[in-house]
Amino acid sequence: MIGPLSTVLLIFGGCCSNVFALEAIIKSEPSSGLLITFFQFVFTTLASYPTQCSPGSPYTVRRPIVPLRRWVFIAALFFGINMLNNWAFAFSISVPVHIILRSFGSVTTMIMGVIRGKTYSALQVLSVMILTAGVLVSAWADSESKGKSLSLENSASTSDFSTGLAILLLAQLMSAWSGAYVEDTYAMYKASWTENLFYSHVFSLPMFLPLSQTLRNQYARLAATPPLRFDRKSAIFEQQLGTVPDLLVDTFSTLGESMPRGILFLLVNATTQLACISGVNLLSSKSSAVTVTIILNIRKLVSFIFSTILFGHPMSAKMIAGSALVFGSGALYGYETSWRLPAQRRKDRMASEAGSVSTKQAT
């Protein structure tokens, strides 16, 4: 049984590390988004396969709890969302704008919940609004620190930007719908999160077949990248990795110098994505879609902060303000969802039971 702490470590450790590996690949080959996604899907499928094996037979898969047609639909949604998010970069959408538009996931998820008949308290709605504002401020600060502008002037044309915006908004709506659909699936079938992890990825793999030539071209470009070179005598190297155990540094150095850097970072990205998606699926099996989105937005801010610290960017007043808003909203949502609302429900239940006893005594 994986506890709450392990789930948080999987999400924050895996997802934050995944962002750094992704940046390393994109810096080398910016048009590698499709290959990155494919590798992640293949690696996660292989790693999650043992959890679905039949007892005593490693070559057959046991019957899933959830109907296969439902997993196929979830996989199609999952594949579509990933492809749309990657495709948006082809329409003059900058990384800061991309992050900002995707930060509204908590809002679209809550709106989808309202459409489906769910209700949220005033504090829950307020916390989502504060969190969204915090991510916006943080992304703004991050873009300024990198010398980028968030205005439409950065786009090649208003038409391109509008197309990219429409793609990202569609991805957000699909993501909100997917989150609600997966939440319903867990509630209806009491399925394991490992089952979702396996089938949402394995059923997505055939969808890459029409894109096989693009995948081969992207892999060839990454395979042509030079290997990493480490100079242990470098002052910068010693300053950055001086506290890391020598055995770990030597192992990574040997591995990095024996293969193209693009392929190395591709493997690192796929490995950390497995940890990240495992934590997300585990959290989804135990929490509402809005709670999952809230935690993922907080994780996004943590990636911002680590990037700022590790790469020497100054922590501006906007970044500090954004951090305070996001962490404050997360604490507010946690207090409302995990403490005040359950306490209120217990109080109401006790009052109702006491009223029922009084009525019976009176009669």
Side-chain angles (χ1 to χ4, degrees):
M1 180 65 70
I2 300 179
L5 179 59
S6 299
T7 302
V8 171
L9 289 176
L10 283 172
I11 292 176
F12 283 81
C15 297
C16 292
S17 302
N18 181 260
V19 170
F20 297 134
L22 176 64
E23 288 181 356
I25 299 172
I26 295 300
K27 188 176 295 184
S28 175
E29 288 293 334
S31 60
S32 301
L34 180 63
L35 182 65
I36 293 169
T37 304
F38 176 70
F39 254 72
Q40 291 175 349
F41 277 47
V42 170
F43 194 87
T44 302
T45 298
L46 294 175
S48 59
Y49 174 79
T51 67
Q52 303 305 309
C53 288
S54 299
S57 178
Y59 304 108
T60 58
V61 178
R62 67 172 181 266
R63 184 181 181 86
I65 298 174
V66 178
L68 287 179
R69 64 180 180 278
R70 197 174 183 93
W71 283 135
V72 170
F73 183 67
I74 290 174
L77 282 175
F78 186 55
F79 176 84
I81 292 165
N82 278 274
M83 290 299 101
L84 286 172
N85 282 326
N86 283 331
W87 189 29
F89 285 114
F91 293 91
S92 301
I93 294 289
S94 67
V95 173
V97 172
H98 193 277
I99 292 172
I100 284 177
L101 293 176
R102 292 187 66 184
S103 73
F104 287 98
S106 54
V107 178
T108 56
T109 302
M110 183 169 281
I111 291 173
M112 187 64 66
V114 172
I115 293 174
R116 296 169 63 246
K118 297 190 70 173
T119 58
Y120 300 95
S121 70
L123 277 180
Q124 286 176 318
V125 174
L126 177 62
S127 67
V128 168
M129 294 173 63
I130 295 174
L131 182 139
T132 302
V135 174
L136 288 172
V137 172
S138 300
W140 183 15
D142 183 70
S143 66
E144 287 186 342
S145 71
K146 294 178 174 64
K148 298 176 182 177
S149 172
L150 300 179
S151 67
L152 299 185
E153 296 174 358
N154 272 355
S155 300
S157 69
T158 302
S159 176
D160 269 2
F161 184 87
S162 299
T163 303
L165 174 63
I167 290 172
L168 281 177
L169 290 178
L170 176 59
Q172 286 301 297
L173 291 174
M174 288 178 61
S175 181
W177 185 23
S178 175
Y181 193 78
V182 170
E183 184 180 338
D184 288 344
T185 300
Y186 283 124
M188 290 170 59
Y189 298 98
K190 311 299 180 185
S192 166
W193 65 274
T194 56
E195 185 173 309
N196 181 20
L197 187 66
F198 175 71
Y199 284 104
S200 63
H201 286 80
V202 72
F203 283 143
S204 296
L205 293 180
M207 302 178 195
F208 286 96
L209 287 176
L211 306 168
S212 57
Q213 185 59 50
T214 303
L215 289 171
R216 284 194 290 268
N217 293 339
Q218 292 183 1
Y219 183 85
R221 286 195 294 269
L222 286 183
T225 57
L228 292 173
R229 297 298 180 190
F230 296 91
D231 182 6
R232 289 302 302 268
K233 297 181 180 180
S234 168
I236 296 178
F237 186 92
E238 294 294 339
Q239 179 181 359
Q240 296 293 328
L241 300 178
T243 59
V244 178
D246 288 342
L247 178 61
L248 182 60
V249 173
D250 291 339
T251 301
F252 188 77
S253 300
T254 302
L255 184 63
E257 293 176 353
S258 63
M259 68 173 65
R261 69 176 64 188
I263 302 302
L264 173 63
F265 286 127
L266 193 63
L267 295 175
V268 172
N269 179 268
T271 304
T272 53
Q273 174 67 10
L274 174 62
C276 176
I277 199 68
S278 296
V280 172
N281 276 274
L282 181 59
L283 182 65
S284 298
S285 68
K286 299 180 179 180
S287 307
S288 70
V290 174
T291 299
V292 173
T293 308
I294 289 279
I295 291 179
L296 292 183
N297 271 314
I298 295 175
R299 191 278 306 165
K300 188 184 300 182
L301 178 69
V302 172
S303 294
F304 269 147
I305 294 174
F306 279 148
S307 177
T308 300
I309 294 174
L310 292 177
F311 293 100
H313 302 302
M315 184 71 93
S316 67
K318 288 190 182 72
M319 182 65 76
I320 295 174
S323 303
L325 287 172
V326 171
F327 282 115
S329 66
L332 181 63
Y333 185 87
Y335 160 78
E336 178 72 355
T337 304
S338 302
W339 190 83
R340 197 193 72 82
L341 287 180
Q344 184 64 45
R345 284 193 288 267
R346 287 194 300 269
K347 183 179 178 180
D348 293 343
R349 186 171 61 251
M350 292 174 62
S352 176
E353 292 173 353
S356 298
V357 172
S358 299
T359 301
K360 290 180 180 179
Q361 290 176 346
T363 55

